[in-house]
Amino acid sequence: MSTHKPRIGVLAIQGDYAAHAAALAEAGAEPSLVKTPEDLRLNGHSLDGLVLPGGESSTMLKFLESRGLFEPLEKFCAQKPVFGTCAGAILLARKVRNPAQRSLGALDAVVERNAYGRQIDSSIVTAPTKLPGEALEMVFIRAPRIVESGPGVETLAERDGFPTLVRQGPVLAATFHPELSTDRRVHKLFVEIVTQSWAAASKKLE
Ligand code: GLN
């Protein structure tokens, strides 16, 4: 068995990246913070995967553009597993609404920002999931909604009939904050996706 610990970056521009780094470590990965394009590599090698945390996607986008990170991230998303939560899911989408803004286009989905209105903009919902085990606790904070998704996108959990956790091959996205719950199933799934993709890539090199 491989002893390789997946090295997963966490975009650390703004938002709750520290909680993600801790959750990734708990799920068996070696997290590292990404603040510059150079941080997408560690000791000369590309990171094995990347998490885009929650926060304010418009602010994050401005930083990505001003720090020259947008294009390197676009490339990274096309080659390696990525996981976006809340604002991170907005950044990964093919199209963003309410209002429209630029995005990385890694996930074949249309995402509407701040979709739950003012009164119920933050809430905790427990709902059934396709992940193994019991129902999943989902913490929503001014959450977006996935209003359209392509045929390659699998829904793993929902709220009010709209997907809240989706997977498209090596791309995972949640409209909630799994790092704020104690359940580590979602981070573990991402670590598994990263490990499988790393193993498949090293097999190709043999
Ligand atoms: N409302 C934020 C946005 O539109 C997302 C909120 C979050 O990440 N918790 O970017």
Side-chain angles (χ1 to χ4, degrees):
M1 229 184 93
S2 152
T3 51
H4 177 83
K5 226 183 190 191
R7 296 163 320 154
I8 302 182
V10 183
L11 187 66
I13 283 180
Q14 189 243 6
D16 59 344
Y17 52 83
H20 268 295
L24 285 168
E26 279 173 37
E30 189 187 313
S32 69
L33 299 185
V34 172
K35 294 175 194 254
T36 66
E38 293 72 43
D39 295 337
L40 289 168
R41 297 176 74 79
L42 204 64
N43 307 325
H45 295 281
S46 169
L47 292 174
D48 300 319
L50 181 71
V51 170
L52 288 91
E56 195 56 43
S57 59
S58 51
T59 309
M60 284 161 83
L61 188 59
K62 273 190 203 138
F63 274 97
L64 293 185
E65 288 173 336
S66 67
R67 292 187 187 183
L69 255 166
F70 191 91
E71 282 77 17
L73 274 188
E74 236 174 1
K75 255 196 203 155
F76 189 93
C77 292
Q79 291 166 357
K80 301 277 175 159
V82 284
F83 175 26
T85 59
C86 208
I90 298 171
L91 290 173
L92 286 182
R94 169 170 62 77
K95 195 172 172 182
V96 178
R97 284 191 200 151
N98 191 35
Q101 67 187 23
R102 197 177 173 204
S103 54
L104 294 161
L107 177 70
D108 185 9
V110 180
V111 176
E112 187 183 313
R113 296 179 61 197
N114 301 312
Y116 290 92
R118 277 224 158 155
Q119 279 83 28
I120 52 160
D121 62 355
S122 299
S123 53
I124 300 178
V125 174
T126 300
T129 173
K130 275 197 196 163
L131 296 177
E134 68 248 31
L136 184 65
E137 176 185 274
M138 300 182 277
V139 178
F140 293 94
I141 304 170
R142 289 180 301 106
R145 187 183 265 158
I146 296 173
V147 288
E148 270 176 56
S149 56
V153 179
E154 186 192 5
T155 298
L156 301 174
E158 302 183 335
R159 173 183 181 180
D160 304 331
F162 289 93
T164 53
L165 178 64
V166 294
R167 176 176 178 181
Q168 182 188 358
V171 179
L172 189 66
T175 59
F176 58 98
H177 286 260
E179 76 287 1
L180 298 182
S181 295
T182 51
D183 185 343
R184 283 291 155 259
R185 276 180 292 168
V186 181
H187 284 83
K188 281 189 180 154
L189 170 63
F190 186 58
V191 173
E192 210 177 285
I193 292 171
V194 172
T195 306
Q196 278 168 8
S197 139
W198 181 85
S202 25
K203 219 169 186 186
K204 261 192 212 157
L205 294 176
E206 273 169 15

